[in-house]
Amino acid sequence: ALVRGFRDRCPPVVWLTMNELDRGAAVQLANWPAARNLRVLQLYANPLTDFGVRALLDSPHLTNLDGLGVSGVSEPVARAVRARFKAHANVQ
């Protein structure tokens, strides 16, 4: 709904905690060309899975992302989030 609603305009901050977003939602965000304008993405307390978080990390549309918050991922994925976002990583 977020991607459809904003279409080609993305706000700089998206804070969607506890919204039941799953890995499919993460893939949609990762494939959204307008997400290039996104700077902070907080998605903790959503069942994104490792697959969904990896999709976000690997997205060419999210290369400008400065901060990411996720939860419920394996330690290898958590390390990848921390390595990329350093002090702006929020992994719970």
Side-chain angles (χ1 to χ4, degrees):
L2 175 81
V3 171
R4 280 192 312 272
F6 281 111
R7 287 181 246 166
D8 63 345
R9 294 176 45 198
C10 179
V13 176
V14 172
W15 201 288
L16 293 169
T17 60
M18 299 183 290
N19 287 284
E20 296 300 317
L21 300 175
D22 60 11
R23 70 191 237 163
V27 169
Q28 283 187 326
L29 282 169
N31 291 324
W32 184 27
R36 70 186 175 282
N37 297 319
L38 191 57
R39 296 296 180 263
V40 177
L41 182 58
Q42 296 295 336
L43 299 173
Y44 41 84
N46 285 293
L48 300 174
T49 73
D50 284 359
F51 180 87
V53 175
R54 288 288 347 160
L56 296 170
L57 291 172
D58 297 338
S59 171
H61 304 298
L62 293 171
T63 56
N64 294 324
L65 196 62
D66 297 320
L68 178 64
V70 296
S71 59
V73 296
S74 69
E75 189 53 36
V77 172
R79 277 194 303 270
V81 172
R82 289 185 197 107
R84 177 169 169 191
F85 298 103
K86 305 199 182 357
H88 300 286
N90 186 352
V91 183
Q92 299 178 0

